[in-house]
Amino acid sequence: MREAETAAEALVEVKGSAMAAVASCSAQPLDARPLLAILGIHSHTGRLALRDAIRATWLMKAPDSMVAKFVMRGEGDDEARQEAERRGDVVVLDKAPAHAGPRTGPLISTLSFLQCALQKWPRADAIGHAEDDTYIVLPGVAHALRKAFTGLPPASDGKARMLWGWMEMYHWSNVTHAPNRWWSYWDHGSKARDTCHTSAAGVIGPFGFAKGALYFLSSHVSSQLTTDDRVRAAADAALAPRSARVASSSTTTTTLVDGPSTPMPGALPNAWEDVFIGYALSILKHEEASKDEPLHFVSNPNAYHEPRHSVGLSATAATLIVHSVRNKSPDALWALHRWKQRHHCQARNGKLQLSCASWSSVGGGGRLRGSSFLSGGASEQRVERGEDTQGPGADRVGDVEGTR
């Protein structure tokens, strides 16, 4: 596996710009319909059972305004092409090496799909990113996304410029060209005070990013991100072979003046694709800044759930997104689906609450504005899977337990 990843890294290096090298999805037909969003569910051939479970559960509920496709890297993988031909719901990224490892593969897929989606779904308002170990209530997500578009001030193209998802905050090292292990929860109240800056040790942050289980970028912002020269350079550096990154980092001090240590050579972290998107937005040159068109961050803390325990699953009746961090199995998706079929409810009094905070991007010349989408009004419920004991008021549904 290490040899395959090295070969894939070298392949990207030979082809020049990483973002240019992976931009093709030639087999995907053009869809010029006006859409709320195109959602890419990122996967790879070894996870067919997860894809089939998604096809039979939450993907069946996709609204007409949203197209959802599985996304797989296709270079060197005939199985991905065969599944795309057989099922018709897979986008194959022609020039993205299928055997790229976890350090670079997800970022290659993310950048490539953004470019593909802009070409093949040119009238979609937003481009989404999801992971194949996530359960999503698509009608509720579409409702929340549409509400965000209508509740935010429009840009010159008539749509708000935004990143929609569940926000957290991170830092990025321009020495190792990877996330710096300095993380915090999203707090738009303090965001204006924590100005994004570059430390003496080359660490940039804090900046907001949306967790990769599910997020959406407005199409105009996606276009800016994929064409900005500085973002392209940052992507090339993040996707460079490990040996080049180690050589670069070994010549520079890695002790921060205002935070914990940067990971040392030999222990370089993966170029996490969701953190990179946040980093890329922080350095993006906002051409519309002079027109008072800020970038809005729309966070959905009450709609997102990420159970961290190794046994069981949990959700609430109003949960729209469940990311199975530890329980990555088709059975987990089916269990959630059966429970949500009986207990899901749409929050009635959700509202878009805009904060007044604004801050400058790292690259200068633009403003970003924080905002939160808050859903409420739903009774709290939990779904547990496994050997849990039923308590008072528990409702057993197959292998799923919900407590009210």
Side-chain angles (χ1 to χ4, degrees), residues 44-46 72-82 92 98-99:
H44 56 84
T45 52
M72 290 194 281
R73 300 186 299 277
E75 188 169 71
D77 189 351
D78 291 337
E79 290 184 36
R81 300 178 188 277
Q82 292 167 4
V92 177
H99 301 295

Side-chain angles (χ1 to χ4, degrees), residues 213-385:
L214 181 68
Y215 64 81
F216 289 88
L217 272 170
S218 58
S219 293
H220 184 74
V221 174
S222 300
S223 179
Q224 285 185 301
L225 188 149
T226 58
T227 56
D228 186 88
D229 289 339
R230 290 178 296 174
V231 174
R232 284 177 174 266
D236 290 343
L239 292 172
R242 185 182 296 267
S243 57
R245 295 169 70 216
V246 170
S248 172
S249 63
S250 64
T251 60
T252 307
T253 179
T254 58
T255 302
L256 298 184
V257 297
D258 53 358
S261 296
T262 302
M264 296 296 290
L268 297 177
N270 296 343
W272 295 325
E273 74 284 358
D274 50 1
V275 177
F276 179 84
I277 294 297
Y279 168 57
L281 292 175
S282 76
I283 63 174
L284 194 63
K285 181 179 181 180
H286 298 289
E287 297 176 356
E288 291 85 355
S290 60
K291 302 177 184 177
D292 193 29
E293 295 187 343
L295 173 63
H296 298 273
F297 282 65
V298 182
S299 190
N300 296 260
N302 295 340
Y304 185 97
H305 192 64
E306 191 174 82
R308 289 282 179 174
H309 41 76
S310 58
V311 178
L313 296 166
S314 58
T316 71
T319 298
L320 299 179
I321 309 146
V322 181
H323 185 207
S324 301
V325 177
R326 300 188 183 276
N327 197 345
K328 302 177 185 290
S329 72
D331 289 345
L333 290 174
W334 273 107
L336 281 165
H337 183 68
R338 285 191 291 266
W339 191 85
K340 291 293 281 182
Q341 288 290 97
R342 289 193 58 178
H343 299 289
H344 180 72
C345 68
Q346 184 72 33
R348 291 183 297 276
N349 62 340
K351 63 180 180 179
L352 189 68
Q353 177 177 313
L354 302 182
S355 74
C356 298
S358 62
W359 55 94
S360 298
S361 65
V362 174
R367 293 190 301 115
L368 303 111
R369 183 169 295 159
S371 58
S372 294
F373 183 84
L374 305 175
S375 296
S379 59
E380 290 295 312
Q381 298 185 351
R382 293 178 63 83
V383 50
E384 298 291 347
R385 184 171 173 274

Side-chain angles (χ1 to χ4, degrees), residues 168-173 178-185 194-195 197-199 201 203-207 209 256-263 269 272 275:
E168 290 184 351
M169 298 173 70
Y170 229 98
H171 293 70
W172 188 273
S173 170
N180 179 264
R181 293 173 182 172
W182 188 3
W183 165 91
S184 64
Y185 286 109
D194 296 332
T195 305
H197 66 284
T198 303
S199 75
V203 174
I204 297 172
F207 54 80
F209 76 98
L256 298 184
V257 297
D258 53 358
S261 296
T262 302
W272 295 325
V275 177

Side-chain angles (χ1 to χ4, degrees), residues 59-120:
L59 198 57
M60 301 284 288
K61 302 287 187 179
D64 293 340
S65 61
M66 184 180 294
V67 171
K69 298 280 188 178
F70 293 101
V71 178
M72 290 194 281
R73 300 186 299 277
E75 188 169 71
D77 189 351
D78 291 337
E79 290 184 36
R81 300 178 188 277
Q82 292 167 4
E83 185 176 340
E85 294 173 359
R86 186 172 66 254
R87 300 305 299 262
D89 60 359
V90 177
V91 174
V92 177
L93 306 174
D94 305 88
K95 298 181 181 180
H99 301 295
R103 192 188 71 76
T104 59
L107 181 55
I108 291 173
S109 296
T110 296
L111 297 176
S112 180
F113 181 68
L114 282 177
Q115 293 177 304
C116 170
L118 288 166
Q119 297 168 6
K120 301 298 185 176

